[in-house]
Amino acid sequence: RRQQHGTQTSRPLSSQQLSLLRSLTSNDTCIECSSPSKPDWASVTYGIVLCLDCAGIHRGLGVHLSFVRSLTMDDWTDDQYIRMVQGGNAKWNEYWETHGNKAAAAVPFFCNAVSEESKVLDRGELSRRIKFKYESNAARAYREALSLNAKACRLRDDRGSLIIPPSIPITRAPSPTLEEDVRLPEESPPSLQDLYKKAWPFAVSMMSSRKSQGLLLAWGMLGITSAYGVYWWGLHRKGGNGITSSLPTVNPVAHGYMGTTSMSDPHSNYNLLALAIAALTVAIPYFLLRQFAKKIAHTWLANRQDAFKSARNLFMDRIAIGRAQRLDRCDVYYPAISEGQELKAKCGLILYPGALVDRAAYAPIASRLSEMGILVAVANLEPTRVITSLKVYSVKEEVMHILSDSVLLSDQGTWTIDKWAIGGHSIGGHMAIAAVANEMSSTIKKVVLWGVLSYPGPNTYPCKQTLREIKDVDVLVVNGSNDKLIKSAKFEKDKAVNFEKKMPPTSSSSFADVSSGNKRGHTLHVTIEGGNHAGCAHYGPQMFPIVDGIRTITLEQQQRQMAEATADFLLGRNERE
């Protein structure tokens, strides 16, 4: 039984390979709990072996921190096997004793995970200890050093079978580069005033709907009618009794402004009242609009979604090994390239984040896609993390800048991309739709939507045409079954029906069929059972604009399925396999 993983073949470990791994020093017990039972699981990331319980804890860390495989049930690539040979429980323990214990000594639960009297493990404390250990700088440096050693020691004999090279000691301390050069700058939240400036055009655009325009027209007509009525009443009012006598005296300046010069003019008070009504007719909507913009700014500031620490650490790890780069307009995740190989990818994906979501939150799923051969550029929307209107954001210009920057500004050299796609999460998906529907349909033929089941509104992201009208654009829609945001009718009734009408026809064809060059566009829907809205990236919980549903699968499971569906759509299942 063999499977293709990129350019490598994976297969079960042979009995000889399994015996060699078990024979390594300290590999006869679990590295975390020293369980005497035979450890049948492994963390490929560190080249260590684990018992079933501790393997479950490692899975909870996420694949970017610890990639767990079964020694007896899973298929293994040569690179993964070499990494296990280069590692080993003894080597990781020795490294941690030298470089990690100093930091661990300051953490009480790290030292108390094992009861001195009973030697029975407290699973809660053990989980915290493992989390601390593998999120540390020492663990990050060890991962990098083990990767370099495994790459340097990969040899084959004439028959293509793997030769086991001698294990090279890892003596590297935490790299100064990881500590200093590859540290993401802290991006301070924008000030409320800055957000207000961005929220103002958004608030104005919200007033351009038919309902809002109708209300404004009715209000304006009421104000004009009231002002004219008071003015007319003043013209026909006789004497100084009634309403006139109850109004305050008007100063000469106001009389002059109204075209009257006599303080005894009985109609001047009516003229001033009419002017006041007209002014209020304009001032009240303006004041309410300002308050609405301020409320939007407060909401944006209060609901910013920062990336999980694990996602930021993963992004820094990718930068450290040359697989990612932070540019002014985007974060770029590059596919793996062997030494001397041409910098080329079959597909590039420009990804717009969801509203208020930190772009680093997409590091895990973007890294997965890059491992599948796709260059991913996640757009930078800081500091507001939202695009308020296409009037203030030139879509075509920004997309072309992201496209060119990601291939031309790489530290590795200039990349060549066969074809480009654009996508987005949540409202970022609306931006992707608007980009293709308005100006990019001749350049981009594939759109990827995560957590989207509504079409862009005419007030924020107006589209000159629908994707159904373009005819040759394929769309992938990936949604979680527990995503409450896409199901909510709070902002738009029948949004799912309108979405289907404006998207290319829904297809039941396979990914390979859609990727085979059909001139007629299709929409493919993929549902992740148990997934939710925030599960598309590493952030949460999602509380705005409504509370998200509860995810019943792990974050790793949801994003693995999303990445596989996206890669199958962009590359074609046959090509990816």
Side-chain angles (χ1 to χ4, degrees):
R1 179 165 62 103
R2 296 189 177 190
Q3 296 180 0
Q4 288 294 126
H5 286 258
T7 59
Q8 289 195 42
T9 300
S10 64
R11 45 173 120 37
L13 294 175
S14 66
S15 57
Q16 181 184 4
Q17 290 173 324
L18 192 56
S19 297
L20 188 145
L21 291 182
R22 294 195 189 281
S23 68
L24 296 179
T25 307
S26 300
N27 273 22
D28 55 339
T29 59
C30 172
I31 192 170
E32 303 298 354
C33 66
S34 300
S35 171
S37 60
K38 185 184 295 184
D40 285 332
W41 295 83
S43 171
V44 182
T45 311
Y46 301 92
I48 55 178
V49 294
L50 308 157
C51 67
L52 177 60
D53 289 341
C54 292
I57 299 175
H58 270 255
R59 283 189 184 277
L61 299 175
V63 294
H64 56 288
L65 288 182
S66 185
F67 182 55
V68 178
R69 307 291 285 171
S70 169
L71 293 174
T72 57
M73 295 183 291
D74 286 330
D75 293 329
W76 290 70
T77 65
D78 287 345
D79 283 349
Q80 291 170 347
Y81 176 58
I82 291 177
R83 195 178 183 98
M84 292 297 298
V85 174
Q86 284 298 305
N89 287 8
K91 188 176 295 183
W92 171 228
N93 279 333
E94 180 183 354
Y95 185 90
W96 180 256
E97 288 289 332
T98 304
H99 302 294
N101 268 347
K102 185 176 180 180
V107 183
F109 64 72
F110 192 92
C111 301
N112 299 331
V114 181
S115 169
E116 288 298 330
E117 295 181 358
S118 62
K119 298 295 182 182
V120 175
L121 289 169
D122 183 315
R123 305 307 295 181
E125 289 187 349
L126 178 61
S127 296
R128 291 193 294 274
R129 182 180 71 167
I130 290 175
K131 186 174 187 298
F132 171 85
K133 188 175 183 180
Y134 293 96
E135 286 183 350
S136 66
N137 291 328
R140 188 162 74 241
Y142 186 86
R143 292 194 298 266
E144 181 190 4
L146 184 59
S147 296
L148 295 175
N149 284 355
K151 185 176 181 180
C153 295
R154 195 175 189 282
L155 300 173
R156 288 179 176 275
D157 65 11
D158 296 336
R159 296 171 298 173
S161 61
L162 188 64
I163 296 176
I164 307 303
S167 184
I168 298 177
I170 297 178
T171 58
R172 181 178 180 176
S175 167
T177 300
L178 290 175
E179 292 295 319
E180 299 170 9
D181 297 342
V182 190
R183 174 173 292 180
L184 296 183
E186 293 296 329
E187 295 174 327
S188 301
S191 67
L192 192 61
Q193 184 62 30
D194 290 337
L195 285 177
Y196 172 74
K197 292 177 182 178
K198 297 288 185 179
W200 176 255
F202 180 74
V204 172
S205 69
M206 297 294 289
M207 301 304 293
S208 61
S209 65
R210 290 185 178 180
K211 182 178 180 180
S212 299
Q213 289 178 343
L215 289 174
L216 285 175
L217 180 61
W219 172 259
M221 292 298 295
L222 176 64
I224 293 174
T225 303
S226 300
Y228 181 77
V230 171
Y231 177 72
W232 180 85
W233 180 259
L235 289 177
H236 293 78
R237 182 74 174 166
K238 300 291 185 181
N241 57 355
I243 296 176
T244 305
S245 60
S246 65
L247 291 175
T249 304
V250 184
N251 62 48
V253 176
H255 274 283
Y257 185 77
M258 294 296 295
T260 58
T261 56
S262 173
M263 286 288 291
S264 60
D265 185 352
H267 311 302
S268 61
N269 290 320
Y270 289 97
N271 295 340
L272 182 59
L273 182 59
L275 178 63
I277 292 174
L280 287 175
T281 302
V282 176
I284 290 177
Y286 177 76
F287 173 78
L288 294 177
L289 191 60
R290 282 180 59 91
Q291 294 302 114
F292 181 47
K294 288 181 180 179
K295 183 178 179 180
I296 292 173
H298 277 284
T299 302
W300 286 351
L301 190 60
N303 291 280
R304 288 168 65 86
Q305 293 283 1
D306 291 331
F308 290 158
K309 182 180 178 181
S310 59
R312 292 178 65 85
N313 287 342
L314 172 63
F315 182 48
M316 288 187 286
D317 287 346
R318 305 294 283 192
I319 294 175
I321 62 175
R323 293 289 303 281
Q325 201 167 335
R326 171 152 286 185
L327 304 176
D328 289 340
R329 284 187 167 85
C330 59
D331 290 349
V332 191
Y333 299 81
Y334 294 103
I337 297 294
S338 301
E339 187 175 351
Q341 187 179 349
E342 182 183 3
L343 298 177
K344 185 175 182 179
K346 292 181 179 180
C347 185
L349 174 64
I350 297 172
L351 184 69
Y352 276 90
L356 308 179
V357 180
D358 183 355
R359 63 194 184 281
Y362 298 88
I365 192 167
S367 297
R368 281 182 180 273
L369 291 171
S370 70
E371 294 296 343
M372 297 174 180
I374 300 170
L375 184 150
V376 183
V378 183
N380 176 17
L381 303 182
E382 296 289 343
T384 58
R385 297 182 182 174
V386 65
I387 298 171
T388 56
S389 171
L390 295 185
K391 294 180 180 179
V392 297
Y393 186 88
S394 177
V395 183
K396 184 175 182 180
E397 181 180 345
E398 290 297 327
V399 169
M400 294 306 294
H401 273 301
I402 293 174
L403 188 152
S404 60
D405 288 356
S406 60
V407 299
L408 297 178
L409 300 183
S410 168
D411 293 335
Q412 299 170 314
T414 301
W415 280 76
T416 301
I417 309 298
D418 290 344
K419 56 187 177 183
W420 282 94
I422 192 170
H425 171 217
S426 193
I427 199 171
H430 285 188
M431 174 55 61
I433 293 174
V436 175
N438 289 332
E439 301 179 284
M440 306 289 297
S441 59
S442 61
T443 305
I444 296 175
K445 299 298 183 182
K446 289 193 174 184
V447 179
V448 177
L449 305 177
W450 297 339
V452 179
L453 202 61
S454 61
Y455 208 77
N459 302 327
T460 50
Y461 303 152
C463 298
K464 298 176 182 177
Q465 56 186 334
T466 66
L467 294 187
R468 182 180 287 259
E469 293 171 334
I470 299 176
K471 300 186 183 302
D472 61 346
V473 172
D474 289 321
V475 182
L476 171 68
V477 181
V478 183
N479 288 315
S481 61
N482 297 347
D483 187 338
K484 285 192 176 182
L485 275 74
I486 64 171
K487 298 176 182 178
S488 172
K490 179 179 180 181
F491 303 102
E492 179 185 354
K493 294 182 179 180
D494 302 322
K495 63 179 183 180
V497 176
N498 294 331
F499 182 71
E500 293 296 329
K501 288 180 179 178
K502 296 178 180 180
M503 300 299 286
T506 300
S507 172
S508 58
S509 302
S510 66
F511 288 104
D513 292 337
V514 172
S515 303
S516 62
N518 278 326
K519 292 185 178 180
R520 182 183 178 185
H522 295 88
T523 299
L524 292 175
H525 289 268
V526 175
T527 300
I528 309 298
E529 292 298 331
N532 65 356
H533 196 79
C536 296
H538 273 50
Y539 73 94
Q542 179 96 34
M543 307 297 290
F544 172 81
I546 63 173
V547 178
D548 193 12
I550 298 175
R551 189 176 64 250
T552 57
I553 58 176
T554 66
L555 201 55
E556 176 194 348
Q557 289 172 330
Q558 176 170 345
Q559 293 186 11
R560 183 181 67 249
Q561 294 180 59
M562 290 175 59
E564 289 174 350
T566 302
D568 287 340
F569 172 72
L570 295 178
L571 301 176
R573 180 169 286 136
N574 293 336
E575 290 185 43
R576 190 168 74 85
E577 293 177 350

